[in-house]
Amino acid sequence: MKHVGVAILGLGVVGSGTYEILRDHRQMYQKTQNVDIVVENVLELRKERAIALGISEDKIASSIDTICNNPNVDIVVEVMGGITFAKDFVLKALEAGKTVVTSNKELYCKFSHELEACAKMHNAGLYYEASCVGGVPVIRAQLDNLQGNKILSLLGIVNGTTNYILTKMSALGVSYQEVLKEAQSLGYAEANPTADVEGYDATYKLSILSSLSFGTKVPYTKIYREGITNINQKDISYGKQLGYVLKLLAIGKNNPEGIEVRVHPTFISSSHPLASVNDSYNAVFITGDAVEDVMLYGRGAGKLPTGSAIVGDIIYAATHEKINYSPFKNTMDADPNTNFIKNFSSAYYLRLSVKDEKGVLAKVTSIFSKYNISCEKLIQDINEDKTANLIIITHIAKEYDINQAVEEINKDEACDVEAVIRVN
Ligand code: HSE
């Protein structure tokens, strides 16, 4: 039986989950895969973590070099997070000819070109299923099963923290700040939640997923990004009245004129399959020209779900001779012929606070008309203080036209645009 030695860099949540799965299923893999996968080394400064898992002291490596020099290690699993040490260690492992399996979306998103070039040079494998959407097998689906398609679009709820916050805001009618505090106390949100709530985490994942979908490197710097920190409860509630659910969506579209990539809060119809993806669950909804719609749903984070993705990669690497590198030219920048569309088209939800006096609505609609914006739905709520909330859903309009219209409406002292949310 083939012996495959693994080293795990970092025994945090995902590292310990990976270790437990490998330990508990070792005999099953011997039987089903005809391979004996053994953890030969771990790299973890807090030795007590390794000892708590039952790992013997002689397997705790003192440095990355010990692991690189261990002939019994074939696969190095990087689950440390961060980019400084992680990049260094992954490059060292690849240079030593070890196959690398990583869950590090920021590392893979920013440096996939360098890592892949190094892997190719040293004939090593590079796997990253766990970098996007935890246990949901979206990378392999794109690398293998969906390769026959031209992918037309992908819509993803790829961040569990923000999905949890938006779900609770909607269900309980409470503010962003209140839910964030609760999520932090339950450990669902980080003490510093910026990467999640400002959409960076989703942007890294969209960069990886859309590169695979559209066959060209999509650098994260090309992705429009807006987080959920300014979301007001009022908008979730008006959205509900109109039949919408608010989600932080990662959107990638392969239009004839170019590629459109963006991460922002988005209203989707309550009948869309993504509308029922709640709490910390994630899902990716992919449309291919042959397969049509495919939705992959599951846990986007967590010890065993992310461990499941890592172990899937380990088994794949252990049982396949051929190494699958990216099916596109993996460069730092996008192919120079790729056009990224910034002035994209969308329907929009706008909430305006206006003075309740004659002529105000006419002013708003005349500015809309000037910028080719047409209203599809309009609700008006009159307040006791002689102001009104105007809720408008537009037909499809251009992003730049909406921005200009909002700027012009805000110049009028009778009107204030308080929220603009894109509708998919
Ligand atoms: N912080 C991420 C999330 C999980 O909230 O989904 C890891 O990617």
Side-chain angles (χ1 to χ4, degrees), residues 162 176 193-203 225-230 248 263:
T162 47
Y176 165 78
T194 308
D196 292 315
V197 298
E198 294 293 4
Y200 291 100
D201 175 82
T203 302
R225 178 189 54 77
E226 196 180 299
I228 63 162
T229 49
N230 292 324
L248 181 74
V263 167

Side-chain angles (χ1 to χ4, degrees), residues 19 102 128 229 262 397 413:
Y19 180 80
T102 180
Y128 50 95
T229 49
R262 41 197 171 101
E413 50 101 33

Side-chain angles (χ1 to χ4, degrees), residues 10 79 96 115 117 149 176 184 233 324 336 369 378:
V79 278
L115 305 184
N149 286 263
Y176 165 78
Q184 283 172 319
Q233 176 53 234
N324 261 352
S369 164
L378 195 146

Side-chain angles (χ1 to χ4, degrees), residues 199-215:
Y200 291 100
D201 175 82
T203 302
Y204 299 147
K205 292 169 182 166
L206 179 61
S207 159
I208 298 171
L209 294 176
S210 52
S211 299
L212 287 169
S213 291
F214 306 143

Side-chain angles (χ1 to χ4, degrees), residues 105 158-161 196 201 205 282 300-301:
K105 75 224 73 153
V158 296
N159 181 270
T161 307
D196 292 315
D201 175 82
K205 292 169 182 166
N282 284 188

Side-chain angles (χ1 to χ4, degrees), residues 342-356:
K342 287 190 182 148
N343 189 16
F344 50 82
S345 300
S346 173
Y348 291 78
Y349 159 103
L350 294 105
R351 174 167 53 82
L352 286 75
S353 173
V354 298
K355 285 193 180 155
D356 179 20

Side-chain angles (χ1 to χ4, degrees), residues 156-192:
I157 295 173
V158 296
N159 181 270
T161 307
T162 47
N163 204 40
Y164 176 86
I165 293 174
L166 293 176
T167 303
K168 289 289 176 240
M169 283 177 76
S170 174
L172 308 175
V174 288
S175 71
Y176 165 78
Q177 285 302 344
E178 272 175 88
V179 184
L180 175 65
K181 245 191 238 156
E182 190 227 347
Q184 283 172 319
S185 70
L186 292 171
Y188 292 157
E190 305 272 348
N192 177 356

